[in-house]
Amino acid sequence: MNQNRDFYAGLVATVFFAVILFVLIPIYVKVPSFIPGFAPPPDMWPRVVAIVGLVMGILALVLAYPKMREASRNQVEGLGNRILGNKTHLMRFGAVLILFAAFVYGMPLIGFVPATVLLLGVLFIMTGNFERKFWMIGLSIIFPVLLYLLFTKVTHTPFPEGKLLSFSLSDLVTL
Amino acid sequence: MWNELLYAFEAVATLPNFLAMFAGIWAGVIIGAIPGMTGTMAVTLALPFTFYLSPVTSILLLVALYKGSTYGGSISAILIKTPGTASAACTVLDGYPLARAGKGGKALNMALISSCIGDFISNISLFFLAIPLATFALRVGPPEFFMLMAFSLTIVASISGRSLVLGIISACLGLLLATVGEDIYGSYRFALSEDMKSGLGMVPVLIGLFALPELIKMVVFRPEDNADAMKLGDNRLTLSEFRGSIKSIFRGSLIGVILGAIPGIGPSTAAFFSYSEARRTSKNGDKFGEGEIEGIAASESANNGACGATMIPLLALGVPGDVITGVMLGAFMIHGLTPGPLLFQNNLGDVYALFIGILFSSVFLFIAGKATAGAFTKISRIPQTLLLPCILILCVYGIYSIGASPFDVTVLLVMGVVGFVMMLLNIPAAPFLIAFILGPMFEDNMRRSLAISRGDLGVFFQSWISWGFFALTILFVTLTIRREWKKWRSNRNADTASAS
């Protein structure tokens, strides 16, 4: 039972659009001193959207509040409690975030292909299913290499080779 | 005229033309099915090859690639919840639930048949209606565009699922993300980093939002059935299913033809518009988004219906409607042909040859689609624990190849996390999708119209086209408010009854 899920959605939306409206738009949407013709300024549309989003977020909170109170009267476990109560899920989600961040920051250092090999291997491990170990090991090496060959040969995409490694896959392929 | 037609038929029915069309469609289907590789990429890559071909063969090759890639996008959309092209984004909404229910083959068959019908109707209209449609398209300026976009955005109400408020929140998020980057007058918005100045790419955002949350969900929650492959159930499309979708197919094809003929709109908008209309009018409207085969028929007939029609302004007026027809304009010029009214006077034989060749391409699309879909359906047999991580890697390579930009990959991963959080909070992703695609067109045309009229709002009500879309927008907004009010009252009554 997740009666209070709408409440949290409304809360997240309210905070998000409030930050956009009162913090990000004033700082990150610059209004030029001269606008050609009578065109509306660049901050007009984001402001309109953020205001609508904020109003809808508050509306979602207001509409979900009675249901949430009823849920707490009936001692129904809320979404927040469910997520915080199950720390394993939270840790796994945190691990996904760390993995993605490590890929983004590590890829320029170790190169695109090794980074994707590692990303795929770790993701296979994180799925928690080890029935097909040989497939997992094989795929995590062969699949990124095949994709690398496809995209370098067909679209001539220059993939980052990595600052830390002295050799590149393209050298191996040309050998 | 008949002599010219006969000559044109003779000119088309050559082995090089058939080979070019067949290869083009085949390559297009495969390229479209790979996430991140788009029709634009396919056509641009093929352009150098056309230097060595005759003018008609060159254009047929490029058109075949365009059509093939538009259909190909639906394959990955249905089987792996990853729209290969933006125009297939709408197909995900019903295609993937069908595939999960073991009806992937059925969904692919419907996508293929409706694509071919849409394509054929589009080709016929190119043959007979090129001039009147091009004249109509010329009358659609920024104010009419704005009204059309406003009407299209009302679809948010029908794809919001159980909560309209959450649907509008999702749409606002999409509209807001679409404003990131440089606007039409050169001002930067939300450029938190240097990379963000050029905005967020449509493909990484869409693929991240749809394809990645499934993987994150599997990693975080590890559902018991994650080691299983999707079931392969009934894959044949029945006559009754086809009959039930026929109205949506024809309506989608016509929407595709009309919107495709207007420069700047393209297949994505046509697909959403058609999907929205099908949902509004279908007796199974409530099931749209949960695996309704009519939804696939509506979106696929429209996006392929728009393909042939995008050639209308190019051929009749010399105006390329999008990047792909822009590349085709280049191909025409390379071969000494100048699209526009003079083309019909000076090179009528070539124009007819092109029309006939394009008509043939619908048949090739069916053959290539049927053969390829059969092979792609085997993807369903791969266990989810192997398939989903591989999809992420495929997306990472595909996205990086678009602009050789690590930032696009970052956007892909961040949008995956955003999509997962939206999934947790029950915020529907479909309104985000449509708002992100239509939002920039809506805003640009509003600002252009106001700039033209020097701030006078009357510019939006100066033509019958604007009035028509305005009336439809008001009608659907009123109907939605009425429906929501009724729903709220019945819920309140039910709560009161259960409390007493």
Side-chain angles (χ1 to χ4, degrees):
Chain A
M1 297 286 282
N2 299 306
Q3 278 98 332
N4 58 359
R5 200 179 282 207
D6 287 0
F7 182 83
Y8 287 104
L11 192 65
V12 170
T14 306
V15 172
F16 175 79
F17 286 112
V19 169
I20 294 284
L21 189 61
F22 300 116
V23 181
L24 291 185
I25 291 178
I27 299 172
Y28 289 106
V29 183
K30 299 270 183 259
V31 181
S33 52
F34 171 73
I35 297 168
F38 286 81
D43 64 335
M44 187 271 282
W45 182 238
R47 268 186 207 283
V48 170
V49 175
I51 290 170
V52 174
L54 186 63
V55 170
M56 287 297 140
I58 294 169
L59 191 63
L61 279 174
V62 171
L63 290 175
Y65 186 67
K67 282 183 187 172
M68 195 182 171
R69 279 191 64 182
E70 195 175 332
S72 63
R73 252 200 318 271
N74 297 338
Q75 292 185 321
V76 175
E77 194 187 10
L79 177 70
N81 287 342
R82 264 190 356 131
I83 293 174
L84 291 173
N86 202 333
K87 287 198 178 115
T88 318
H89 291 170
L90 213 57
M91 281 169 64
R92 283 181 195 154
F93 183 55
V96 171
L97 295 182
I98 291 168
L99 178 65
F100 284 176
F103 175 75
V104 168
Y105 289 106
M107 181 250 288
L109 297 174
I110 62 168
F112 202 86
V113 181
T116 47
V117 168
L118 285 173
L119 177 67
L120 188 55
V122 175
L123 278 172
F124 278 142
I125 294 167
M126 287 172 80
T127 59
N129 187 298
F130 302 103
E131 282 173 22
R132 299 175 180 85
K133 277 183 206 143
F134 291 109
W135 274 103
M136 286 175 164
I137 295 165
L139 270 176
S140 55
I141 296 164
I142 293 168
F143 191 61
V145 172
L146 282 179
L147 286 175
Y148 172 82
L149 290 175
L150 173 77
F151 282 100
T152 45
K153 297 295 167 196
V154 177
T155 62
H156 302 286
T157 307
F159 289 103
E161 289 175 349
K163 290 172 191 162
L164 298 180
L165 299 179
S166 55
F167 70 94
S168 71
L169 194 74
S170 56
D171 295 334
L172 286 180
V173 171
T174 42
L175 280 174
Chain B
M1 180 193 171
W2 292 108
N3 277 345
E4 272 143 353
L5 268 176
L6 206 65
Y7 158 77
F9 193 83
E10 213 173 10
V12 168
T14 62
L15 189 64
N17 285 342
F18 284 153
L19 279 177
M21 278 190 281
F22 207 68
I25 292 269
W26 205 279
V29 170
I30 293 168
I31 287 173
I34 298 173
M37 293 189 80
T38 59
T40 313
M41 200 185 270
V43 170
T44 314
L45 283 171
L47 189 63
F49 295 104
T50 63
F51 298 163
Y52 311 103
L53 303 172
S54 74
V56 173
T57 315
S58 309
I59 305 298
L60 287 178
L61 173 70
L62 299 181
V63 172
L65 275 165
Y66 182 24
K67 289 179 175 189
S69 63
T70 306
Y71 163 70
S74 68
I75 296 175
S76 49
I78 290 168
L79 293 176
I80 55 175
K81 208 184 178 185
T82 307
T85 54
S87 60
C90 215
T91 310
V92 172
L93 304 177
D94 288 287
Y96 187 69
L98 274 171
R100 290 295 294 167
K103 294 174 184 171
K106 194 187 279 280
L108 284 175
N109 277 326
M110 179 52 97
L112 177 62
I113 290 171
S114 44
S115 292
C116 289
I117 293 175
D119 185 49
F120 190 74
I121 291 175
S122 173
N123 297 339
I124 295 279
S125 67
L126 180 64
F127 207 108
F128 292 106
L129 301 171
I131 301 292
L133 273 173
T135 315
F136 165 77
L138 274 185
R139 298 180 67 169
V140 179
E144 289 80 12
F145 244 136
F146 168 77
M147 284 296 181
L148 171 65
M149 291 301 130
F151 176 58
S152 301
L153 280 171
T154 61
I155 188 195
V156 166
S158 55
I159 54 174
S160 291
R162 61 176 189 91
S163 169
L164 178 63
V165 174
L166 294 185
I168 297 175
I169 287 173
S170 173
C172 286
L173 190 61
L175 289 172
L176 213 52
L177 277 192
T179 63
V180 173
E182 195 176 358
D183 77 344
I184 51 170
Y185 295 115
S187 307
Y188 291 111
R189 298 185 292 193
F190 304 112
L192 276 67
S193 69
E194 198 62 32
D195 292 312
M196 286 175 87
K197 283 187 173 173
S198 50
L200 305 179
M202 187 182 289
V203 180
V205 169
L206 298 187
I207 293 181
L209 192 72
F210 280 94
L212 265 60
E214 290 292 324
L215 169 71
I216 301 174
K217 188 177 139 193
M218 186 180 72
V219 168
V220 172
F221 296 113
R222 294 186 182 173
E224 282 173 11
D225 62 344
N226 69 359
D228 299 339
M230 283 187 229
K231 288 182 221 106
L232 271 178
D234 181 16
N235 279 330
R236 276 186 307 176
L237 185 69
T238 63
L239 198 61
S240 64
E241 283 166 335
F242 178 69
R243 262 198 226 127
S245 306
I246 196 104
K247 264 190 197 168
S248 292
I249 292 176
F250 280 104
R251 187 179 39 234
S253 306
L254 289 178
I255 287 172
V257 167
I258 294 168
L259 294 189
I262 302 171
I265 291 194
S268 310
T269 315
F272 278 113
F273 201 93
S274 167
Y275 184 82
S276 155
E277 287 313 300
R279 183 171 178 142
R280 276 171 182 145
T281 53
S282 170
K283 60 181 180 192
N284 297 327
D286 293 345
K287 292 179 190 158
F288 273 55
E290 295 166 10
E292 172 55 49
I293 202 150
E294 200 180 338
I296 298 173
S299 59
E300 282 302 308
S301 57
N303 66 24
N304 268 77
C307 283
T310 50
M311 298 286 288
I312 291 173
L314 176 68
L315 289 175
L317 307 168
V319 179
D322 54 14
V323 183
I324 291 183
T325 43
V327 176
M328 284 182 196
L329 176 68
F332 271 104
M333 305 282 244
I334 286 163
H335 290 285
L337 302 171
T338 310
L342 285 178
L343 187 72
F344 287 78
Q345 280 178 23
N346 302 339
N347 305 84
L348 193 61
D350 286 333
V351 173
Y352 280 149
L354 205 58
F355 283 175
I356 293 170
I358 291 173
L359 272 175
F360 272 118
S361 66
S362 298
V363 181
F364 288 120
L365 178 63
F366 184 79
I367 298 167
K370 199 78 184 155
T372 327
F376 274 106
T377 314
K378 291 185 174 64
I379 290 172
S380 313
R381 297 184 196 183
I382 303 171
Q384 298 284 296
T385 44
L386 291 180
L387 181 64
L388 293 180
C390 288
I391 289 172
L392 171 67
I393 299 301
L394 179 62
C395 293
V396 165
Y397 273 88
I399 296 296
Y400 188 86
S401 75
I402 296 175
S405 161
F407 178 67
D408 283 344
V409 178
T410 310
V411 172
L412 171 86
L413 299 175
V414 171
M415 284 313 298
V417 175
V418 171
F420 177 69
V421 174
M422 284 171 70
M423 188 194 270
L424 278 185
L425 294 172
N426 265 357
I427 298 176
F432 177 100
L433 176 77
I434 188 163
F436 188 77
I437 291 174
L438 300 185
M441 285 194 254
F442 180 82
E443 190 205 353
D444 288 356
N445 286 293
M446 178 182 62
R447 293 177 73 185
R448 276 202 188 104
S449 306
L450 289 173
I452 293 165
S453 70
R454 304 175 76 82
D456 179 12
L457 289 172
V459 72
F460 295 115
F461 303 98
Q462 281 177 353
S463 75
W464 62 268
I465 301 172
S466 296
W467 270 109
F469 285 124
F470 177 70
L472 284 171
T473 309
I474 294 294
L475 176 73
F476 284 113
V477 168
T478 314
L479 286 175
T480 306
I481 292 171
R482 193 165 157 252
R483 191 192 65 199
E484 288 296 313
W485 174 250
K486 274 186 175 175
K487 202 165 89 179
W488 183 76
R489 278 187 62 176
S490 67
N491 281 348
R492 200 183 61 168
N493 290 343
D495 286 348
T496 317
S498 64
S500 60

